[in-house]
Amino acid sequence: MRQFTVSGSPVPRGWFTLPGVSERVKVGPVTELPGGYQGTVEVAGVSVLVVNYEGQFYALRNNCTHKDFPLLGGEVSNGRITCEKHGAKFELATGKAKTLPAVKPVKIFGTEVENGVLYVLPL
């Protein structure tokens, strides 16, 4: 069974594919990614943060848009991740910056669960 999502919302097949970049990246078995999990994978040369928040997987660029600080390890609550450096918050589902000092959104990536394995999809 395949489940395609972008930050929790189902998307049509093919929506996430860019010309020349079609390889999804394996994160691991969902049984090894419990609630609260945070980790990173490289997708087309970009560090992507993967978060399991309330049973849903989210994938976003591992980079605060305020000062290029990694988001990995930031506190996750209310559907948002907080940058540890200056406190900017970003919505996991949309990447939107929700508090200053960040004003630009973080890029989000799709996720796919196939046969119990989580994958991150290219932009």
Side-chain angles (χ1 to χ4, degrees):
M1 181 185 122
R2 290 180 131 182
Q3 172 187 357
F4 296 90
T5 62
V6 170
S7 297
S9 300
V11 297
R13 287 180 188 267
W15 180 85
F16 51 81
T17 304
L18 289 179
V21 182
S22 61
E23 294 296 315
R24 63 187 183 171
V25 176
K26 181 178 178 179
V27 178
V30 294
T31 56
E32 296 177 15
L33 309 171
Y37 169 85
Q38 289 189 31
T40 59
V41 294
E42 290 286 318
V43 178
V46 174
S47 177
V48 176
L49 173 65
V50 178
V51 176
N52 180 345
Y53 176 67
E54 295 184 345
Q56 180 63 54
F57 292 103
Y58 299 90
L60 53 153
R61 187 169 182 182
N62 184 31
N63 179 270
C64 176
T65 58
H66 170 242
K67 288 284 185 179
D68 296 330
F69 193 80
L71 293 173
L72 178 66
E75 179 185 342
V76 176
S77 64
N78 298 321
R80 299 175 179 176
I81 188 162
T82 302
C83 176
E84 293 181 305
K85 186 74 171 177
H86 295 112
K89 296 179 189 287
F90 300 90
E91 280 189 353
L92 294 171
T94 65
K96 289 181 182 175
K98 299 307 282 184
T99 62
L100 295 173
V103 293
K104 295 180 183 175
V106 173
K107 293 184 191 264
I108 60 172
F109 292 74
T111 59
E112 172 184 52
V113 176
E114 182 178 358
N115 297 323
V117 177
L118 176 67
Y119 297 89
V120 172
L121 308 167
L123 289 172

